[in-house]
Amino acid sequence: MEHPVPGEDAFARFYEATAAAIRAYILRHCSDRDSADDLLQTTYIKFLGSPMASTPQAPQARAYLYRIASNVIADHGRALSRRKRFETPKREFTEAASAARFADDISLRDALATLSKREQQMLWLLYGEGFAHAEVARIMNLGRASVRVLAFRARKKLKARLAGSHPTGSEVAE
């Protein structure tokens, strides 16, 4: 009879408590369900390889798991970007097409999609998952003050997009 590995029950409880939320977080940034499942598995494999795996009941374990997921999402995005550079030709966008795009009613999902991946992740962690600024700073490997400033700018851009206005060049660069 095989004996369970010490901590296996604790990890199983941790997985049960966090997997659905982590999968939703990954799906928010990766719309392909198969890829999201792969990224979820990669996230937990990396977690199991970390020192935090020995104490999954620790309060910071959940935040650490989100940090791993953020890194896995970023790695996946970079890989897709590299692949797309070699697979698809560049498209030309006209001013008329751009104006028509902004003239349409923009849903929240469409407005969020116009933000950078980092801004999307930050807003999701703050408002979708309810993390505090300090926790988001740890997850995204940023300074706490940076999270406050970047979140303010992301909210400002999102509000402008939802209102249908065009951000100025300086707002886009921020």
Side-chain angles (χ1 to χ4, degrees), residues 19-143:
I22 294 293
R23 186 170 189 274
Y25 175 66
I26 291 171
L27 268 171
R28 179 76 191 102
H29 302 289
C30 173
S31 59
D32 175 30
R33 292 189 185 282
D34 291 334
S35 293
D37 289 339
D38 290 344
L39 297 178
L40 178 69
Q41 183 177 8
T42 300
T43 298
Y44 280 98
I45 288 170
K46 289 183 180 231
F47 179 83
L48 284 171
S50 74
M52 188 66 70
S54 63
T55 57
Q57 70 280 6
Q60 63 270 34
R62 183 172 169 256
Y64 186 69
L65 187 63
Y66 273 92
R67 183 173 184 178
I68 292 171
S70 294
N71 291 337
V72 167
I73 291 166
D75 291 346
H76 178 70
R78 283 190 292 273
L80 285 178
S81 178
R82 283 191 300 272
R83 192 174 311 134
K84 283 181 183 177
R85 261 186 296 187
F86 294 106
E87 291 177 357
T88 58
K90 292 185 179 181
R91 290 183 258 164
E92 299 281 331
F93 290 101
T94 64
E95 281 187 37
S98 179
R101 183 175 49 131
F102 282 106
D104 295 336
D105 289 332
I106 300 175
S107 69
L108 178 59
R109 177 178 225 115
D110 292 338
L112 281 169
T114 66
L115 300 178
S116 72
K117 290 294 182 188
R118 181 171 76 166
E119 290 168 331
Q120 290 178 38
Q121 286 177 327
M122 184 175 299
L123 292 178
W124 180 258
L125 289 170
L126 287 168
Y127 303 108
E129 295 296 331
F131 281 110
H133 286 90
E135 292 171 310
V136 173
R138 279 194 300 277
I139 291 168
M140 296 185 72
N141 200 23
L142 296 168

